[in-house]
């Protein structure tokens, strides 16, 4: 697939092609590579980082690993007008979480897990990277979806939260891996006290958290950075796309 960029008057528009998103920003700078992994060009092209998690908008389509939760599809409208799912806790005394997707992690590389979530009866969301690739390192954070604050940062991680409106929040956690392994892409754990990681509690069978999108990026990215780049890139399945970008 080839995309020819001809319009230099489009400001702030976002073009998404499978798992690659391109945001056009008018700039007069020469090509620059920044430590935020953002490329800017004189012709006004900003290439956002690739989302390494496939099926970023569908929990049930990515062979999810489910523990004491169910997935309610088309539960609520997401900020972009698409339908979001809900993680509903079961009426059992256990940890309640879901992880989905797979990716091959590289040892000693920093990754960011991010989720777009909203209070669905549980106001605390634990966002986590997979234990298989983060064996002896911190990999999670707990976020307060009622106040928009970081409730419990795990030492060694960099958690961030950013509001996007309507009670929705981008919640991100960055950490360095300590194993090269293929594993799931991390996920979201329900929480009631805001401080206990991997908390076990007696669920009520109806409460949960709405999830509109998830992602994994290579590198450290804050929730605010991801929001400024147009949000979590939408992915469905692995795709190879060749782009030809230029003024003609």
């Amino acid at each position: 697939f080839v995309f020819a960029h001809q319009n230099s008057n489009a400001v702030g528009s976002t073009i998404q092609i499978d798992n690659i998103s391109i945001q056009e920003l008018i700039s007069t700078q020469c090509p620059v590579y920044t430590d935020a992994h953002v490329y800017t060009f004189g012709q006004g092209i900003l290439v956002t980082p690739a989302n390494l998690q496939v099926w970023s908008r569908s929990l049930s389509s990515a062979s999810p690993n489910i523990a004491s939760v169910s997935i309610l599809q088309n539960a609520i409208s997401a900020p972009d007008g698409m339908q979001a799912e809900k993680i509903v806790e079961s009426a059992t005394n256990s940890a309640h979480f879901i992880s989905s997707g797979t990716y091959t992690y590289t040892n000693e590389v920093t990754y960011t897990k991010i989720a777009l979530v909203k209070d669905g009866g549980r106001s605390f969301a634990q966002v986590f990277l997979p234990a298989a690739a983060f064996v002896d390192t911190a990999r999670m954070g707990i976020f307060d979806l009622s106040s928009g604050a970081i409730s419990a940062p795990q030492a060694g991680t960099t958690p961030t939260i950013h509001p996007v409106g309507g009670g929705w929040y981008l919640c991100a956690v960055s950490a360095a891996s300590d194993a090269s392994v293929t594993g799931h892409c991390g996920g979201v754990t329900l929480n009631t006290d805001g401080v206990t990681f991997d908390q076990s509690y007696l669920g009520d069978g109806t409460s949960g958290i709405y999830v509109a999108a998830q992602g994994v990026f290579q590198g450290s990215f804050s929730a605010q950075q991801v929001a400024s780049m147009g949000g979590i890139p939408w992915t469905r399945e692995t795709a190879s796309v060749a782009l030809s970008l230029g003024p003609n």
Side-chain angles (χ1 to χ4, degrees), residues 163-178:
V164 298
W168 289 94
Y169 292 92
L170 281 167
C171 299
V173 59
S174 299
S177 61
D178 60 358

Side-chain angles (χ1 to χ4, degrees), residues 128-151:
F128 62 90
L129 286 156
F134 298 79
V135 181
D136 296 316
T137 61
R139 58 187 180 88
M140 61 189 75
I142 300 176
F143 302 87
D144 188 339
L145 305 183
S146 62
S147 65
I150 299 168
S151 180

Side-chain angles (χ1 to χ4, degrees), residues 171-229:
C171 299
V173 59
S174 299
S177 61
D178 60 358
S180 294
V181 65
T182 299
H184 65 76
C185 292
V188 178
T189 300
L190 307 183
N191 184 278
T192 63
D193 64 9
V195 295
T196 305
F197 293 107
D198 296 330
Q199 180 193 17
S200 292
Y201 65 91
L202 179 60
D204 61 17
T206 58
S207 298
I209 290 173
Y210 297 107
V211 181
Q214 294 187 82
V216 174
F217 302 137
Q218 183 174 319
S220 180
F221 295 89
S222 71
Q224 185 173 6
Q225 282 179 305
V226 174
S228 69
M229 294 185 291

Side-chain angles (χ1 to χ4, degrees), residues 58-73 85-90 92 94-101 128 184 186-190 214:
S58 176
L59 295 168
S60 55
S61 296
S63 302
N65 176 27
I66 294 175
S68 299
V69 297
S70 60
I71 302 171
L72 179 62
Q73 296 180 315
E85 297 170 309
K86 183 180 181 180
I87 307 172
V88 182
E89 64 190 35
S90 62
T92 57
S94 62
H96 307 268
F97 70 87
I98 185 170
S99 59
S100 58
F128 62 90
H184 65 76
V188 178
T189 300
L190 307 183
Q214 294 187 82

